[in-house]
């Protein structure tokens, strides 16, 4: 069998020796978490609560985990201790002196090497989060879920586990510290919404309205094909590696197929709103091209083509079972869940690091605007 990755033996899953060799080889600091993330939190402390929610025990001093929260997160709308509270009547939520505001989670850097996920989350917090708090939302931003991955420009955690396949229902079940810390944070902030379709699923309101939205900010890069997919195949003991997925040339959005099936019309409209807004900033990924026919890869069920082998539900949108895959997008149980995928390696000269950051922000802001209208809040658009 031909060697397709530099570590391990084809056909044999990695053991402790191979995993240690991988971590040693890739664990070289190429940029610093302190400069790229922690320093940018300091100016935000006067406007928001910047709270440590965990750390990576591999180096707790170097890798503290921080979130940025709107002031008074979790307090009732009428609480005198809650600063800048706007009293809101939210559609589907009963009027009550103890009514809490709908919650939003924004996560970045789940895959630490995906730069615009981190910087886009920070940019959103700095430029937009305050006005959405005034509109009536409690917002929590975790800008860099995986600081070791950020520094070493890696997709996985140090234990060679893909962080975005390690989010389980409880912190103890999670297979990375990065995921366990986020799951614990969500529990601290009120817990996951009940399962879609249950009598108290929270998607049409409830006593506290729960999590209304979760946006998880990612990139798809050329290194997915050249490094991370071959590494995964080697780690898992594949005898050979043939990459059939390619790299989408532009932005796309990944939704939760379980949520989509339970609230199809409104979620489909929400997906379209995100794509239409982002296309003003950066190109949208076209459907895959079939090399044999030089035409779009058709899908018999939808007729809309495919992306990464998944059928497109509409232009630039695919859906996956988030909870089944144990991805970060499953942690809140929100009705509106989106995983952004920006393409920073595009040959289009218009696509720059700054453009990618702005695309992330465009996706988050239009997502919130749509949800605000659904909940009966005034639009935040100036």
């Amino acid at each position: 069998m031909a060697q397709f990755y530099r570590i391990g033996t084809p056909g044999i899953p990695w053991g402790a020796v191979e995993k240690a060799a991988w971590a040693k080889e890739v664990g070289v600091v190429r940029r610093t978490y302190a400069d790229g993330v922690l320093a940018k939190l300091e100016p935000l402390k006067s406007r928001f609560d910047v709270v440590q929610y965990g750390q990576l025990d591999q180096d707790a001093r170097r890798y503290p985990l921080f979130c940025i929260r709107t002031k008074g997160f979790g307090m009732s709308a009428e609480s005198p201790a809650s600063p800048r509270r706007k009293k809101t009547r939210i559609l589907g939520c009963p009027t009550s002196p103890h009514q809490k505001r709908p919650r939003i989670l924004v996560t970045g850097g789940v895959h630490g090497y995906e730069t615009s996920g981190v910087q886009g989350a920070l940019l959103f917090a700095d430029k937009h989060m305050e006005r959405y708090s005034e509109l009536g939302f409690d917002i929590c931003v975790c800008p860099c879920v995986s600081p070791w991955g950020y520094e070493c420009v890696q997709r996985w955690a140090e234990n060679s586990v893909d962080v975005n396949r390690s989010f389980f229902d409880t912190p103890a079940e999670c297979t990375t510290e990065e995921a366990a810390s986020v799951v614990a944070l969500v529990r601290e902030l009120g817990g996951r919404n009940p399962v879609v379709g249950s009598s108290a699923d929270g998607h049409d309101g409830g006593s506290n309205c729960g999590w209304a939205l979760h946006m998880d900010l990612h990139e798809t890069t050329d290194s997915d094909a050249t490094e991370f997919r071959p590494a995964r195949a080697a780690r898992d003991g594949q005898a050979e590696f043939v990459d059939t997925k390619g790299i989408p040339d532009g932005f796309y959005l990944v939704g939760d197929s379980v949520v989509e099936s339970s609230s199809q019309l409104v979620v489909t409209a929400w997906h379209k709103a995100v794509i239409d807004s982002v296309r003003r900033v950066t190109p949208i990924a076209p459907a895959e091209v079939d090399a044999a026919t030089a035409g779009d890869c058709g899908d018999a069920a939808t007729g809309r083509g495919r992306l990464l082998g998944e059928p497109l539900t509409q232009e630039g949108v695919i859906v996956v079972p988030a909870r089944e895959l144990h991805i970060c997008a499953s942690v809140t149980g929100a009705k509106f869940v989106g995983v952004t995928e920006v393409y920073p390696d595009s040959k289009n000269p218009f696509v720059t690091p700054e453009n990618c950051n702005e695309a992330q922000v465009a996706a988050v802001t239009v997502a919130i605007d749509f949800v605000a209208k659904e909940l009966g809040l005034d639009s935040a658009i100036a």
Side-chain angles (χ1 to χ4, degrees), residues 293-355:
T293 65
D296 287 352
C297 294
D299 181 79
T302 67
R304 300 186 187 96
R306 289 177 173 263
L307 207 59
L308 293 173
E310 299 291 336
L312 286 161
T313 60
Q314 59 179 288
E315 182 189 10
V317 180
I318 59 175
V319 296
V320 299
R323 204 171 188 187
E324 181 181 320
L325 294 176
H326 307 295
I327 63 177
C328 185
S330 70
V331 298
T332 64
K335 176 177 179 176
F336 296 97
V337 177
V339 180
T340 64
E341 294 285 356
V342 171
Y343 181 44
D345 296 325
S346 173
K347 302 302 186 289
N348 187 329
F350 184 72
V351 177
T352 63
E354 293 74 22
N355 171 260

Side-chain angles (χ1 to χ4, degrees), residues 5 79 110 193 206 245 269 294 298 377:
Y5 192 69
S79 172
V110 171
N193 289 356
K245 287 190 172 182
L377 299 174

Side-chain angles (χ1 to χ4, degrees), residues 60-240:
R61 276 192 169 183
R62 188 179 186 94
Y63 300 130
L65 302 172
F66 285 95
C67 64
I68 310 157
R69 300 204 298 247
T70 48
K71 296 284 188 180
F73 189 108
M75 295 182 183
S76 64
E78 291 82 4
S79 172
S82 179
R84 302 172 74 92
R85 302 276 94 176
K86 176 178 177 179
K87 294 183 179 181
T88 57
R89 174 68 179 99
I90 302 167
L91 294 179
C93 297
T95 301
S96 163
H98 304 295
Q99 176 183 301
K100 295 182 181 179
R101 290 145 49 104
R103 301 191 293 268
I104 293 171
L105 178 64
V106 178
T107 45
V110 171
H111 290 145
Y113 74 107
E114 295 170 1
T115 306
S116 73
V118 175
Q119 300 305 326
L122 288 166
L123 184 62
F124 164 76
D126 183 33
K127 301 298 183 183
H128 301 280
M129 195 161 86
E130 201 165 23
R131 67 188 176 99
Y132 285 116
S133 174
E134 293 172 356
L135 185 67
F137 289 103
D138 282 342
I139 306 172
C140 177
V141 175
C142 298
C144 189
V145 170
S146 301
W148 180 84
Y150 178 84
E151 286 203 330
C152 300
V153 192
Q154 290 299 312
R155 179 184 182 90
W156 297 347
E158 190 185 35
N159 65 354
S160 75
V161 173
D162 187 330
V163 179
N164 208 31
R165 299 297 185 274
S166 68
F167 290 85
F168 289 77
D169 289 346
T170 67
E173 293 175 285
C174 295
T175 51
T176 64
E177 286 186 294
E178 292 88 340
S181 298
V182 172
V183 170
L185 174 65
V186 170
R187 285 188 158 197
E188 177 189 336
L189 297 180
R192 190 183 190 280
N193 289 356
V195 176
V196 174
S198 70
S199 59
D201 69 14
H203 294 136
D204 293 315
S207 61
N208 65 3
C209 292
W211 294 99
L213 169 68
H214 179 190
M215 294 295 284
D216 188 28
L217 312 185
H218 286 255
E219 294 178 343
T220 300
T221 70
D222 288 348
S223 60
D224 289 359
T226 59
E227 171 63 20
F228 299 117
R229 292 174 190 167
R232 179 180 61 194
R235 181 200 63 186
D236 296 347
Q238 289 183 207
E240 58 182 2

